[in-house]
Amino acid sequence: MNYSANFSPRVSDSEIFESIKKEKQDIGYYNLPFQDTTLIKEYAQTVKQKDIAIIGIGGSTLGTFAIYSFLTRTHNFDKKLYFFESTDPIDINTRLERLDLDNTLFIVISKSGTTIETISVFKYLYSKVKIDKNNCLIITETDSKLNDFAQSNDIKTFEIPKNVGGRFSVFSTVGLVPLAIVGIDIDRLLDGAKEAYSEYFEQEALYKRIMTKARFMAEYKHKFNNNVVFSYASELEGFNKWYVQLWGESLGKIDKDNTHQGLTPIGLLGPVDQHSFLQLIIQGKRDKTVTFIKIKDFADNSKIPDVKLKGLEELDYINNLKFSELINHQADATIEAVHDLQDIPCDTITMDKVDGFSLAKLMYVYELLTSIVGKFLFINAYDQPGVESGKIILKEKLKKKK
Amino acid sequence: MNYSANFSPRVSDSEIFESIKKEKQDIGYYNLPFQDTTLIKEYAQTVKQKDIAIIGIGGSTLGTFAIYSFLTRTHNFDKKLYFFESTDPIDINTRLERLDLDNTLFIVISKSGTTIETISVFKYLYSKVKIDKNNCLIITETDSKLNDFAQSNDIKTFEIPKNVGGRFSVFSTVGLVPLAIVGIDIDRLLDGAKEAYSEYFEQEALYKRIMTKARFMAEYKHKFNNNVVFSYASELEGFNKWYVQLWGESLGKIDKDNTHQGLTPIGLLGPVDQHSFLQLIIQGKRDKTVTFIKIKDFADNSKIPDVKLKGLEELDYINNLKFSELINHQADATIEAVHDLQDIPCDTITMDKVDGFSLAKLMYVYELLTSIVGKFLFINAYDQPGVESGKIILKEKLKKKK
């Protein structure tokens, strides 16, 4: 009797940890927190334009948008970012109207250098205003076609390292360059990422937390195939979108045993989605885990005034309450209601405040979590072969049209 | 031998159709397309303010936002809508800064009249600017506490009919009044809804389409528990959010046999989410149905110019292409790639153009679809008892604090 097997045995936390440590040698994002940012900061100082148009899509914009949109409402930046991501003509033209074209820096970001949306929109803007080395910056791989264009036109470039994938690139030049231009302290961002790095790799608090969560996600992947992030702060909408890409595109894969794997990311905002999606969590099918994200200190003292309105006296108990307290009480009440049901796995992350350090730490934790769930699922978390077929069909369609 | 049973037998399309027809007597949204809009239009004419602040959450804002955000980039409205939905203090104060407070109409919308977010924000605004009958409008049920407040202060009100639930209220005063004030042709909206109504209830084209889809959704609910709407137009982002509430909150229920039911709505935007979520659809677990939404005519002739960029010559095949064609080719290529896999159920809806009629028809179709899936699942699609527990906990928390 012969016996051979090709299914995957259960693995221990320490085996996973060892393979993640080994992976650090090849996968570039792990070590980004330790890079030297001098050249980026020096360049940022030289930018004179007030409007910064980022032409890119997916991994080229989502991380930057997450950080910028988180901070911009509470910090006075003297430059503004505008994102050109879609080929929707109405979208492009509406964004274009908001720009002061003669006072705009155009940053074209594409790892491959031939992203169809990015090059299409760039050409369109190129026909609207003179774009040259005085108002253009290109962020791409060193050997891409876009880099050839930059060299031919003497346009400044920053390199995206080959071993850093788009959705893991927020702490590379992709995110740091535009964020530094706007005036965000990129070293503080990296400090946040570093703290997550060391708490995980030195097996401190984060190690056990991330390992336990990743193992749960992987082992219960069939029952709880949806993972909800329920963020109690409007400023986290960009983070939610970044998480959706990171999680969905990294974990939606055919594994080494040729099986379709995939956990579905869902981003929600509290309290707004208490009036939208919460009913489905509470009474719907038990197919979801929920991670609540709260912000401890909004650094905002706005309160509900001591106003009495005739007829509405029964709501006077909310008077004199700070909105920052109200939203966190709303989060806590929802968490308690979900927790009390006992059959919906949930956890809560509390960020300290609305600053770059806190968000960067959270993002790095999510990158680690994604990598580790990928390991548990025996997939490659860093490629995206599934979207190639559509690109080939599109190219054929467009060439046929000619 | 005795036999009794309490499980639900399979039902025929005609049985479902009959129960939907019967339901029209009690559930208010079905007949909204046939209402008289004279009073709404007369009132809208009298509004002088340029900024319109809507204070509401969930069903009180999502439908209005879906229609307004769909149309506002291509139509020149002379008034602007601003939505106050969250208790996030940073969110509230950022929105507040954009308003010209002395030239703002404040519309407070709450069906129950005691929605905590709405009243909190209203009180806050009330302390910032004098709000009275000259700059305030209230939309609520006739016997709500908010209506008492309106009556005491001689403030104009519009009624939300008791039998129209929040998430089905877009074609009631909730949506029509603010949209009419902005200058949107609300009769054209109702015409769109009417066309959907008659094509379904007169058992024309839509009847079979909706029935087949609803039956599939219900019968394969365990395998395909996620329903993706993949809209190829940035202007449909608001529609996607409205759909998420409608679907999630209506269908996430405990059914009559005490089983947790629920289909999970996911809203995506093309082509942006081709670079985010598409990988998960293509290679991930087969737990999703996908509905693509396209717009046939964007009424926009912007094209990729005939620009040749050194190094990027291989992409010259996109030159001279209209963006409206490009985005639809991108949609078609993705549809073909998904279709070719043969194990991902998908369908495509093509809207005629970016106008109110087309969107209203689509929204009414989705309302019908939701009602009918609800019937197949033997649930009440019109309540939301699941979110009450959190509200009770919140109230206790806040009262204890006093």
Side-chain angles (χ1 to χ4, degrees):
Chain A
M1 180 172 129
N2 259 334
Y3 179 70
S4 72
N6 71 348
F7 48 72
S8 308
R10 284 183 55 140
V11 289
S12 67
D13 283 4
S14 60
E15 283 171 288
I16 294 286
F17 185 57
E18 289 308 316
S19 69
I20 289 286
K21 278 203 291 188
K22 193 167 159 226
E23 191 175 272
K24 277 201 293 175
Q25 294 159 21
D26 305 315
I27 302 299
Y29 90 84
Y30 289 106
N31 296 305
L32 292 174
F34 304 98
Q35 73 195 281
D36 182 352
T37 57
T38 312
L39 293 177
I40 296 175
K41 288 180 289 188
E42 279 175 8
Y43 171 78
Q45 292 292 331
T46 69
V47 174
K48 297 283 169 283
Q49 292 88 352
K50 290 288 178 197
D51 288 347
I52 314 295
I54 298 185
I55 305 151
I57 193 167
S60 297
T61 52
L62 284 166
T64 310
F65 179 73
I67 295 175
Y68 177 70
S69 62
F70 185 67
L71 297 175
T72 192
R73 295 198 250 187
T74 45
H75 295 68
N76 284 321
F77 302 130
D78 58 344
K79 295 178 195 293
K80 270 193 181 172
L81 292 186
Y82 298 83
F83 295 85
F84 287 84
E85 301 172 294
S86 181
T87 54
D88 178 327
I90 298 169
D91 188 301
I92 299 169
N93 287 318
T94 312
R95 285 171 202 268
L96 192 55
E97 280 168 24
R98 295 188 197 130
L99 287 180
D100 176 1
L101 283 177
D102 296 324
N103 194 10
T104 297
L105 175 72
F106 298 88
I107 308 183
V108 187
I109 309 180
S110 168
K111 191 165 150 67
S112 71
T114 51
T115 309
I116 197 160
E117 292 87 349
T118 306
I119 303 302
S120 305
V121 173
F122 180 51
K123 284 189 173 188
Y124 186 63
L125 298 176
Y126 195 90
S127 71
K128 297 279 172 192
V129 62
K130 187 171 154 55
I131 298 183
D132 58 22
K133 64 177 181 175
N134 297 308
N135 62 351
C136 188
L137 170 69
I138 282 173
I139 304 178
T140 186
E141 283 187 354
T142 42
D143 57 355
S144 80
K145 303 283 184 187
L146 192 56
N147 198 49
D148 293 348
F149 166 75
Q151 299 310 318
S152 309
N153 291 277
D154 199 22
I155 290 172
K156 167 79 181 167
T157 59
F158 278 101
E159 182 190 347
I160 308 176
K162 268 225 174 306
N163 64 354
V164 174
R167 59 189 174 274
F168 288 89
S169 69
V170 59
F171 300 121
S172 75
T173 54
V174 169
L176 296 186
V177 174
L179 294 169
I181 292 172
V182 166
I184 288 170
D185 183 346
I186 58 174
D187 291 330
R188 279 298 286 165
L189 295 177
L190 296 188
D191 285 345
K194 260 181 229 163
E195 189 165 285
Y197 178 98
S198 64
E199 285 183 18
Y200 177 77
F201 283 109
E202 291 168 23
Q203 296 189 279
E204 292 168 16
L206 267 180
Y207 174 77
K208 179 119 197 297
R209 204 189 299 162
I210 293 180
M211 283 305 210
T212 307
K213 183 164 175 174
R215 178 180 288 281
F216 184 90
M217 295 293 192
E219 292 189 356
Y220 288 85
K221 66 190 178 188
H222 289 303
K223 180 152 175 56
F224 302 110
N225 59 324
N226 293 317
N227 308 122
V228 175
V229 164
F230 207 148
S231 302
Y232 272 77
S234 304
E235 304 80 68
L236 285 167
E237 185 164 17
F239 168 79
N240 283 4
K241 287 184 180 175
W242 173 85
Y243 148 75
V244 166
Q245 187 206 26
L246 178 71
W247 195 254
E249 201 166 23
S250 300
L251 303 178
K253 294 288 161 64
I254 295 175
D255 73 359
K256 71 188 190 62
D257 301 326
N258 213 25
T259 307
H260 293 289
Q261 297 294 325
L263 288 163
T264 297
I266 294 167
L268 302 181
L269 286 180
V272 172
D273 284 321
Q274 290 180 205
H275 296 260
S276 163
F277 199 97
L278 180 60
Q279 165 68 29
L280 178 62
I281 294 174
I282 298 274
Q283 288 209 316
K285 193 178 167 189
R286 294 306 188 239
D287 55 7
K288 298 168 205 73
T289 61
V290 186
T291 297
F292 292 95
I293 300 181
K294 289 173 57 183
I295 296 177
K296 195 171 167 187
D297 181 6
F298 280 84
D300 185 303
N301 289 317
S302 307
K303 55 164 70 170
I304 301 162
D306 196 8
V307 165
K308 295 181 200 309
L309 302 176
K310 199 160 172 11
L312 291 167
E313 293 85 354
E314 69 171 80
L315 279 169
D316 283 349
Y317 67 88
I318 57 176
N319 289 6
N320 296 313
L321 190 70
K322 284 189 202 170
F323 279 105
S324 59
E325 290 171 336
L326 175 58
I327 192 171
N328 277 327
H329 282 306
Q330 290 181 293
D332 291 340
T334 304
I335 293 166
E336 197 173 319
V338 171
H339 187 80
D340 285 351
L341 294 170
Q342 298 195 319
D343 58 357
I344 300 174
C346 61
D347 59 349
T348 303
I349 297 169
T350 306
M351 299 169 70
D352 291 331
K353 43 186 160 173
V354 184
D355 68 356
F357 182 93
S358 302
L359 183 63
K361 183 172 179 183
L362 178 70
M363 292 173 88
Y364 199 84
V365 166
Y366 259 92
E367 290 182 335
L368 287 173
L369 181 69
T370 304
S371 289
I372 296 163
V373 174
K375 279 271 175 264
F376 274 112
L377 294 177
F378 297 94
I379 56 165
N380 178 353
Y382 308 105
D383 62 358
Q384 53 280 339
V387 291
E388 287 310 310
S389 54
K391 287 187 189 171
I392 294 164
I393 295 168
L394 177 64
K395 203 164 172 176
E396 282 164 7
K397 272 183 199 293
L398 294 178
K399 288 196 162 167
K400 207 178 293 167
K401 242 190 121 63
K402 286 273 144 181
Chain B
M1 181 171 128
N2 259 333
Y3 179 72
S4 71
N6 71 348
F7 48 74
S8 310
R10 283 184 57 140
V11 289
S12 68
D13 283 5
S14 60
E15 283 170 288
I16 294 287
F17 186 56
E18 289 308 316
S19 69
I20 289 286
K21 278 203 290 189
K22 195 168 158 222
E23 191 174 272
K24 277 202 293 177
Q25 294 159 22
D26 304 316
I27 302 298
Y29 90 84
Y30 289 106
N31 295 306
L32 292 174
F34 304 98
Q35 74 195 279
D36 181 352
T37 57
T38 311
L39 292 177
I40 296 175
K41 287 180 290 187
E42 279 175 9
Y43 171 78
Q45 292 293 331
T46 68
V47 174
K48 296 283 169 280
Q49 291 89 350
K50 289 288 178 197
D51 288 347
I52 314 294
I54 298 185
I55 305 151
I57 194 167
S60 297
T61 53
L62 284 166
T64 309
F65 179 73
I67 295 175
Y68 176 71
S69 62
F70 185 67
L71 297 174
T72 190
R73 296 198 250 186
T74 46
H75 294 67
N76 284 320
F77 302 131
D78 59 343
K79 296 178 197 290
K80 273 193 177 170
L81 293 186
Y82 298 84
F83 295 85
F84 287 84
E85 300 172 295
S86 181
T87 54
D88 177 326
I90 298 170
D91 189 302
I92 299 169
N93 287 317
T94 312
R95 286 171 203 267
L96 192 55
E97 280 168 25
R98 295 190 197 128
L99 287 180
D100 176 3
L101 283 176
D102 296 323
N103 194 10
T104 297
L105 176 71
F106 298 89
I107 309 184
V108 187
I109 308 180
S110 169
K111 191 167 149 68
S112 70
T114 51
T115 308
I116 196 161
E117 292 87 350
T118 306
I119 302 302
S120 305
V121 173
F122 180 52
K123 285 189 173 189
Y124 186 63
L125 298 176
Y126 194 91
S127 71
K128 297 278 174 193
V129 63
K130 186 171 155 55
I131 298 183
D132 59 22
K133 64 178 181 174
N134 296 307
N135 63 351
C136 188
L137 169 69
I138 282 172
I139 304 179
T140 187
E141 283 187 353
T142 41
D143 57 356
S144 80
K145 303 283 183 188
L146 192 56
N147 198 48
D148 292 349
F149 165 76
Q151 300 310 319
S152 308
N153 291 277
D154 199 20
I155 290 171
K156 168 78 181 165
T157 59
F158 279 101
E159 182 189 348
I160 307 175
K162 268 224 175 308
N163 63 353
V164 174
R167 59 188 172 274
F168 288 88
S169 69
V170 59
F171 300 121
S172 75
T173 53
V174 169
L176 296 185
V177 174
L179 293 169
I181 291 172
V182 166
I184 288 170
D185 183 345
I186 58 174
D187 291 330
R188 279 299 285 165
L189 295 179
L190 296 188
D191 285 346
K194 259 181 229 164
E195 189 166 284
Y197 178 99
S198 64
E199 286 183 17
Y200 177 77
F201 283 108
E202 290 167 24
Q203 297 190 283
E204 292 169 16
L206 266 180
Y207 174 77
K208 179 117 199 295
R209 203 188 299 163
I210 292 179
M211 283 306 210
T212 307
K213 184 165 175 173
R215 179 181 287 280
F216 184 90
M217 294 294 194
E219 292 189 355
Y220 288 85
K221 66 189 179 188
H222 288 303
K223 180 152 175 54
F224 302 110
N225 58 324
N226 293 316
N227 308 122
V228 175
V229 164
F230 207 148
S231 301
Y232 271 79
S234 304
E235 304 80 67
L236 285 167
E237 185 164 17
F239 168 78
N240 283 4
K241 286 184 182 177
W242 173 84
Y243 149 74
V244 165
Q245 188 205 26
L246 178 71
W247 195 255
E249 201 166 25
S250 299
L251 302 178
K253 295 285 160 64
I254 294 174
D255 74 358
K256 71 188 191 60
D257 301 324
N258 212 25
T259 307
H260 293 290
Q261 297 295 324
L263 288 163
T264 297
I266 294 169
L268 301 181
L269 285 181
V272 174
D273 285 322
Q274 290 182 206
H275 296 260
S276 163
F277 199 96
L278 180 60
Q279 166 68 30
L280 178 64
I281 295 174
I282 297 275
Q283 288 211 315
K285 192 178 170 190
R286 294 307 190 241
D287 55 7
K288 299 168 205 73
T289 61
V290 186
T291 297
F292 292 95
I293 299 181
K294 288 172 59 184
I295 297 177
K296 197 172 166 187
D297 181 6
F298 280 85
D300 185 304
N301 289 316
S302 308
K303 56 164 67 170
I304 301 161
D306 195 9
V307 164
K308 295 181 201 309
L309 302 176
K310 200 160 171 14
L312 292 167
E313 294 85 355
E314 70 170 77
L315 280 169
D316 282 350
Y317 67 88
I318 56 176
N319 290 5
N320 295 311
L321 190 71
K322 283 189 201 170
F323 280 106
S324 59
E325 291 171 335
L326 175 57
I327 192 170
N328 278 326
H329 282 305
Q330 291 182 293
D332 291 339
T334 304
I335 293 166
E336 199 173 318
V338 171
H339 187 80
D340 285 352
L341 294 170
Q342 299 194 318
D343 57 357
I344 301 174
C346 61
D347 59 351
T348 304
I349 297 169
T350 306
M351 299 170 70
D352 291 332
K353 44 185 161 174
V354 184
D355 68 356
F357 181 93
S358 301
L359 183 63
K361 184 173 179 184
L362 178 69
M363 291 173 87
Y364 199 84
V365 166
Y366 261 91
E367 290 181 335
L368 287 173
L369 182 68
T370 305
S371 289
I372 296 162
V373 174
K375 279 271 175 265
F376 274 113
L377 293 177
F378 297 94
I379 56 166
N380 178 354
Y382 306 106
D383 61 358
Q384 54 280 339
V387 291
E388 288 309 310
S389 53
K391 286 186 189 173
I392 293 164
I393 295 168
L394 177 65
K395 203 165 172 176
E396 281 164 8
K397 273 183 199 295
L398 295 177
K399 287 197 162 165
K400 206 179 293 167
K401 242 190 120 66
K402 285 272 141 177

